[in-house]
Amino acid sequence: MNVMANDLSRLVPGARGFLEREHRLLIGGEWVRSASSETFEVIDPSSGQVLTKVPRGNADDIDRAVKAAHAALNDPAWRDMQPSDRERLMHRFADVIEAHAEELGQMEALDVGMPSLIGQFGEVGNVLATLRYMAGWPTKIHGQTLDIGEALPEKRYFSYTRREPVGVVGAIVPWNVPLMIAMWKIAPALATGCTIVLKPSEVTPLGALRLGELAIEAGIPPGVLNIVTGFGADAGTALVAHPLVDKISFTGSVATGKAINKLATDTMKNVTLELGGKSPVLVLDDANLKKAVPAIARGIFGNTGQVCVAGSRLYVQRGIYEQAVEMLSKQARSLKMGPGLHPESQIGPLVSAQHREKVMGYIKAGLEQGAQAVTGGHAIEGPGYYVEPTIFANPSQESKVVQEEIFGPVITAIPFDDLEHGAALANDSIYGLASYVWGTDIQKIHQIIPRIRAGSVFVNSEPFPHPAMPLGGTKQSGIGKDLGEEALNHYTELKSVMIGLN
Ligand code: NAD
């Protein structure tokens, strides 16, 4: 494909109109300028061109937003809203988003670089599924009654627990699937009656701002969802440090997660951390390679490898190793690289020049440490940030490309002998986010599932975040879960009530 930059004439009117507007921060239901009036540029990764500018929110803006969220938390309009009305409101929000799905998909194509149809049906599809799934919960959140009997001599009690909103949630999200991950925080917060200050990534802030406009259109009350665009070092840390923020829900890198966890301790916030991964893919010798290989390729090259649960370490049982690597190489070479707005693009550019430099640094390190690039290994010349899908065969298990998260279209392939060996290689990582097993022997599959230390195991499947299935990491991949009923526990506090009866 020779068209490598987005053709902006393909934009639907909603997306074009959004790019032409002056952008502001959403605080207390109003669109306001940042306290400093400073802005920063948003870049199209397919061309390196400036798309628009957004406000550079700082600690003053975070303070205003947190105070608005705190006021909304205690406003009877939100605090006392009937759970069934919260459900209706969340479905209305989903309806409004759905009506703008194409436009949002295009904006993700511009901002992140992903193909717009993947943005529309994959990412925005998941946003809708998550919001509608969580909209089912407000009427079902409950505590327990507990019979504690005569807890003190001759004193009987009626005792129960209730789940209450944790309070003001500071949501800090990354750039790779920004709308989807923002909704993984917003939806459970709305379901449980919390209020939110969302800080999108400085690399991809556009979708969140448009989501804010749609939230207002849907009738989300003022102050319930506040959005402050800005950088991690000022807006991000101010949100984590703010004493009126009760919970931080963070998705991003391990290094930032560690810094946030330390800072949040000062005010003893409730913290959930969804961090990086280096997820293993185990292919057993009875696997159906015709099904496995295309799914493995989608899993690592989809969104140009910028997926936290991407299967980036391939381990294939020795007898079928050569065949699997050859089939995967063929698949990788067939992928059409191009700008997100082009209908034929299957994989887009990396998100930024800085990120391309990081990914190319890893590719160089892989080659220097003796891995063989059977496919790819190069950046594409030109203004956009494209890197070829790359497969490293036979790197050493200790090498950087096997041990560190690259977050690009790079997969390593190593053979293993038996289940014991495969599980040991899979677990030899500081990460424990997702994992994949391909095979047809159900007994072997059941034997290996408990052996893998990871938050998720996908069997004969590519990555698929379902709103009902909790998603989160073990080891350095994080603390707590997004999605599923389990996520609600992270957005509520459990209160124990003991009523003396005599
Ligand atoms: P990042 O950690 O650089 O930034 C994430 C967010 O944190 C951004 O909004 C950034 O502005 C903010 N931030 C940065 N420093 C901060 C600080 N000191 N205090 C407060 N906020 C700060 O991550 P990224 O590069 O945007 O995203 C890629 C990473 O995200 C990868 O490691 C990927 O694996 C991870 N990720 C994890 C999941 C998951 O569910 N586990 C999902 C998607 C991405």
Side-chain angles (χ1 to χ4, degrees):
M1 209 152 111
N2 46 20
V3 183
M4 296 310 257
N6 275 316
D7 171 3
L8 298 191
S9 72
R10 288 184 191 273
L11 290 177
V12 295
R16 195 168 319 132
F18 177 82
L19 281 187
E20 286 162 6
R21 282 202 272 292
E22 183 204 349
H23 300 296
R24 298 191 177 187
L25 308 173
L26 178 58
I27 297 181
E30 305 286 334
W31 290 100
V32 299
R33 291 211 167 86
S34 66
S36 69
S37 296
E38 281 180 41
T39 56
F40 61 95
E41 293 175 337
V42 183
I43 307 289
D44 176 349
S46 75
S47 63
Q49 298 291 312
V50 177
L51 287 167
T52 183
K53 290 178 182 173
V54 301
R56 181 171 180 156
N58 62 19
D60 292 335
D61 301 305
I62 289 288
D63 184 54
R64 281 192 292 162
V66 171
K67 284 179 175 152
H70 190 255
L73 190 67
N74 298 303
D75 183 339
W78 181 241
R79 187 191 60 201
D80 301 336
M81 187 182 280
Q82 290 301 305
S84 56
D85 288 337
R86 263 201 335 268
E87 289 189 357
R88 232 191 309 268
L89 181 59
M90 290 174 72
H91 279 298
R92 200 154 57 228
F93 190 14
D95 291 342
V96 174
I97 294 171
E98 196 161 16
H100 293 86
E102 184 183 7
E103 173 193 330
L104 290 168
Q106 287 198 335
M107 284 175 39
E108 292 298 77
L110 287 181
D111 211 7
V112 184
M114 67 178 71
S116 60
L117 290 179
I118 296 200
Q120 180 180 345
F121 295 103
E123 185 177 6
V124 179
N126 184 281
V127 164
L128 291 168
T130 300
L131 188 49
R132 292 203 193 281
Y133 167 82
M134 286 294 172
W137 276 110
T139 50
K140 297 162 197 76
I141 294 167
H142 60 82
Q144 291 178 305
T145 53
L146 297 108
D147 184 357
I148 62 169
E150 222 174 68
L152 289 174
E154 295 180 14
K155 185 128 182 140
R156 295 194 57 76
Y157 285 86
F158 174 60
S159 309
Y160 66 99
T161 59
R162 42 182 281 118
R163 286 216 166 263
E164 299 181 348
V166 70
V168 175
V169 175
I172 302 179
V173 298
W175 48 257
N176 61 323
V177 258
L179 273 177
M180 183 179 89
I181 292 174
M183 191 51 75
W184 290 3
K185 321 289 188 195
I186 294 169
L190 294 177
T192 50
C194 297
T195 59
I196 308 133
V197 176
L198 170 68
K199 196 211 79 65
S201 166
E202 56 274 35
V203 186
T204 56
L206 297 185
L209 291 174
R210 186 69 184 115
L211 201 62
E213 293 179 350
L214 300 178
I216 290 182
E217 193 180 324
I220 301 288
V224 169
L225 173 61
N226 306 274
I227 301 173
V228 178
T229 48
F231 285 70
D234 39 25
T237 50
L239 188 56
V240 179
H242 202 293
L244 289 179
V245 173
D246 300 286
K247 172 190 174 65
I248 291 291
S249 181
F250 172 74
T251 298
S253 63
V254 171
T256 307
K258 286 179 182 175
I260 285 178
N261 207 17
K262 283 182 190 150
L263 183 58
T265 306
D266 288 344
T267 40
M268 212 47 87
K269 290 180 174 46
N270 173 320
V271 175
T272 43
L273 302 168
E274 300 298 340
L275 309 178
K278 189 77 184 175
S279 301
V281 184
L282 287 170
V283 182
L284 310 185
D285 56 9
D286 56 8
N288 179 339
L289 286 183
K290 279 203 186 118
K291 285 190 178 165
V293 168
I296 294 168
R298 284 193 292 275
I300 183 61
F301 302 129
N303 205 22
T304 323
Q306 303 164 120
V307 176
C308 57
V309 293
S312 50
R313 290 185 292 139
L314 177 62
Y315 298 106
V316 187
Q317 207 154 0
R318 205 170 293 279
I320 56 165
Y321 175 80
E322 298 293 342
Q323 188 192 355
V325 171
E326 200 183 306
M327 285 172 73
L328 186 61
S329 299
K330 203 166 156 205
Q331 187 82 28
R333 282 194 287 265
S334 75
L335 293 170
K336 289 193 179 127
M337 224 187 302
L341 290 184
H342 197 289
E344 283 174 25
S345 298
Q346 292 172 307
I347 53 171
L350 290 171
V351 77
S352 66
Q354 194 190 4
H355 191 53
R356 179 171 66 173
E357 205 173 302
K358 181 180 156 196
V359 171
M360 287 311 297
Y362 275 112
I363 290 179
K364 195 162 161 260
L367 295 170
E368 279 167 8
Q369 291 188 320
Q372 185 197 351
V374 287
T375 299
H378 306 100
I380 311 284
E381 289 292 319
Y385 311 133
Y386 295 91
V387 168
E388 291 174 343
T390 299
I391 302 170
F392 278 124
N394 293 305
S396 82
Q397 172 67 17
E398 295 72 36
S399 61
K400 268 170 85 122
V401 284
V402 176
Q403 291 297 332
E404 296 183 20
E405 185 186 46
I406 301 174
F407 221 54
V410 182
I411 188 167
T412 57
I414 293 179
F416 70 90
D417 297 316
D418 51 24
L419 290 194
E420 193 73 33
H421 185 210
L425 289 169
N427 288 334
D428 177 24
S429 170
I430 60 163
Y431 296 105
L433 191 55
S435 62
Y436 303 83
V437 181
W438 288 90
T440 48
D441 182 332
I442 197 78
Q443 287 185 332
K444 281 191 198 160
I445 288 170
H446 278 296
Q447 281 167 25
I448 204 150
I449 290 168
R451 303 280 302 281
I452 301 175
R453 278 202 70 198
S456 305
V457 184
F458 295 90
V459 178
N460 295 330
S461 172
E462 58 210 89
F464 174 48
H466 192 281
M469 294 300 287
L471 192 137
T474 60
K475 299 197 263 183
Q476 295 198 27
S477 289
I479 299 172
K481 301 283 179 192
D482 275 336
L483 304 179
E485 183 179 358
E486 178 63 18
L488 300 170
N489 294 335
H490 297 299
Y491 287 80
T492 51
E493 293 280 12
L494 198 58
K495 180 179 272 177
S496 290
V497 183
M498 287 179 282
I499 304 174
L501 296 179
N502 57 338

